[in-house]
Amino acid sequence: MLVLLLCIAAVILLSGSYYAYRIAFYAPLKDRDKIIRPTDAQYDPYREQMKRIYQQLHDRHCEQVTIFTKDGLTLSGRYYHSKDGAPLDLCFHGYRSHPFLDFSGGSELSFQMEHNLLLVDQRAHGESDGKTISFGILERQDLLCWVEYAIERFGPEVKILLYGVSMGGATVLMASELDLPENVKGILADCPFASAMDVILEVGRKTMPRFPSWLIRPFAILGAKIYGGFDLMETDAVRAVQNTKVPILIIHGEADHYVPCEMSDLVSANPAMVERHTFPGAAHGISYLVDTPRYHRIVKAFVEKVLE
């Protein structure tokens, strides 16, 4: 009887963790060419502007570039050249998103500042390899590979700004505690989550209200470990920022229903290194659209400060 019970428990654990992996972390290849635009009513006033700036970025000439990760994946990116010797904005998009969607606004600002721009397809997204999304855990190591590529290509004097939106914001924040070269002058994180577990539980509460957090948590951890090959609890943005040596700017919409604004408040608990601004009425990822002049002023002031 004991053996039978143990077998049943093992089946439940493995099945539940596999289901959690498929829902939260698995990225099927067939869905990667689909750019999913937000459907919430919060975005309705900005749809025409979103279409315009998206199309402008989509139509702009770029160079396709690739790198290899430490675990053998090939990652893809799009490089936009403004001028020789300019700072490089290295950009990381969000969960199941696309750089054209997440950086169509931010790219306008990069071009205005005459920065060179590199938009990354994160692992398991777009044209990059991989089948597992790790909410910034593995992606932060990929970021180091992109930084190494930038220094090798543009020279040891290149100044680099890391820019992330949503999961990309969490990625650049988690990377902030790594041994980043001095070329990385600043980090900009727009609507980042505090930790992978926090955002998984937040989404779980909304999409699976019958499943309590205490039940989702162990299956998510096991699914990541067994089927994704990574430790979901290895680090988080809060812990990483406590150890950073790089100046950080955080921007967050106060009406964000996906990644609550309070999450980035937790991250900004290192006031010596972190500057944080919130945007009233802004939904997830559209602070730029809600108040473009203010967004420009904040980012330009930060960039001028860290690049001086």
Side-chain angles (χ1 to χ4, degrees), residues 148-205:
E148 291 168 2
Y149 164 83
I151 295 172
E152 181 178 349
R153 173 167 177 172
F154 301 110
E157 302 303 317
V158 64
K159 296 179 179 179
I160 299 171
L161 295 167
L162 304 178
Y163 190 177
V165 173
S166 193
M167 187 188 81
T171 299
V172 297
L173 292 178
M174 291 182 197
S176 70
E177 69 174 347
L178 301 178
D179 188 19
L180 296 171
E182 292 185 359
N183 304 73
V184 177
K185 301 301 182 181
I187 294 173
L188 294 79
D190 191 323
C191 57
F193 49 76
S195 73
M197 184 57 70
D198 283 346
V199 76
I200 288 170
L201 294 179
E202 177 69 23
V203 174
R205 280 191 289 268

Side-chain angles (χ1 to χ4, degrees), residues 70-85:
K70 295 175 182 177
D71 56 349
L73 301 181
T74 301
L75 303 185
S76 179
R78 298 166 183 82
Y79 173 67
Y80 300 82
H81 186 77
S82 289
K83 63 179 182 179
D84 294 346

Side-chain angles (χ1 to χ4, degrees), residues 240-265:
V241 169
Q242 291 299 316
N243 299 316
T244 188
K245 298 178 181 177
V246 182
I248 292 171
L249 170 65
I250 294 177
I251 290 174
H252 213 138
E254 294 178 13
D256 193 330
H257 294 166
Y258 291 95
V259 179
C261 193
E262 294 78 12
M263 284 196 184
S264 65
D265 191 28

Side-chain angles (χ1 to χ4, degrees), residues 6-304:
L6 289 174
C7 288
I8 292 172
V11 169
I12 292 172
L13 282 174
L14 290 174
S15 300
S17 58
Y18 181 68
Y19 177 76
Y21 168 76
R22 295 283 298 196
I23 294 296
F25 309 114
Y26 179 66
L29 185 62
K30 62 182 178 65
D31 292 337
R32 294 189 195 171
D33 59 346
K34 299 177 183 177
I35 298 178
I36 302 174
R37 294 174 174 81
T39 58
D40 292 19
Q42 286 179 295
Y43 297 88
D44 288 348
Y46 310 101
R47 293 198 186 281
E48 289 305 313
Q49 187 179 0
M50 290 167 67
K51 290 178 183 178
R52 176 184 62 80
I53 60 178
Y54 172 92
Q55 197 62 45
Q56 285 178 345
L57 181 58
H58 181 273
D59 294 342
R60 194 178 186 102
H61 174 73
C62 67
E63 175 192 351
Q64 294 287 142
V65 298
T66 58
I67 64 165
F68 298 102
T69 68
K70 295 175 182 177
D71 56 349
L73 301 181
T74 301
L75 303 185
S76 179
R78 298 166 183 82
Y79 173 67
Y80 300 82
H81 186 77
S82 289
K83 63 179 182 179
D84 294 346
L88 176 70
D89 294 347
L90 184 52
C91 302
F92 298 83
H93 63 77
Y95 177 78
R96 301 194 192 278
S97 190
H98 191 280
F100 285 167
L101 187 62
D102 290 351
F103 292 101
S104 52
S107 66
E108 285 191 323
L109 184 52
S110 292
F111 299 137
Q112 282 185 25
M113 294 187 295
E114 296 188 302
H115 288 191
N116 297 324
L117 178 67
L118 179 52
L119 302 179
V120 169
D121 281 352
Q122 297 231 59
R123 62 168 58 214
H125 290 82
E127 298 180 24
S128 290
D129 287 350
K131 63 179 182 179
T132 297
I133 304 169
S134 69
F135 286 77
I137 304 295
L138 300 175
E139 289 84 356
R140 67 184 187 138
Q141 300 295 339
D142 300 339
L143 180 150
L144 282 179
C145 297
W146 281 110
V147 169
E148 291 168 2
Y149 164 83
I151 295 172
E152 181 178 349
R153 173 167 177 172
F154 301 110
E157 302 303 317
V158 64
K159 296 179 179 179
I160 299 171
L161 295 167
L162 304 178
Y163 190 177
V165 173
S166 193
M167 187 188 81
T171 299
V172 297
L173 292 178
M174 291 182 197
S176 70
E177 69 174 347
L178 301 178
D179 188 19
L180 296 171
E182 292 185 359
N183 304 73
V184 177
K185 301 301 182 181
I187 294 173
L188 294 79
D190 191 323
C191 57
F193 49 76
S195 73
M197 184 57 70
D198 283 346
V199 76
I200 288 170
L201 294 179
E202 177 69 23
V203 174
R205 280 191 289 268
K206 294 175 180 177
T207 59
M208 298 182 294
R210 295 183 180 181
F211 287 83
S213 296
W214 63 264
L215 187 58
I216 296 174
R217 184 183 181 91
F219 285 126
I221 293 172
L222 284 173
K225 191 69 174 178
I226 296 172
Y227 302 104
F230 69 96
D231 180 0
L232 190 62
M233 309 302 290
E234 179 179 312
T235 191
D236 58 52
V238 176
R239 279 183 282 172
V241 169
Q242 291 299 316
N243 299 316
T244 188
K245 298 178 181 177
V246 182
I248 292 171
L249 170 65
I250 294 177
I251 290 174
H252 213 138
E254 294 178 13
D256 193 330
H257 294 166
Y258 291 95
V259 179
C261 193
E262 294 78 12
M263 284 196 184
S264 65
D265 191 28
L266 295 173
V267 178
S268 63
N270 181 357
M273 299 303 294
V274 181
E275 173 186 342
R276 179 174 178 264
H277 299 269
T278 63
F279 281 65
H284 187 63
I286 60 168
S287 293
Y288 180 91
L289 300 176
V290 170
D291 192 342
T292 303
R294 181 177 175 232
Y295 199 103
H296 280 202
R297 288 195 302 271
I298 290 170
V299 172
K300 284 182 178 179
F302 176 78
V303 169
E304 290 173 2

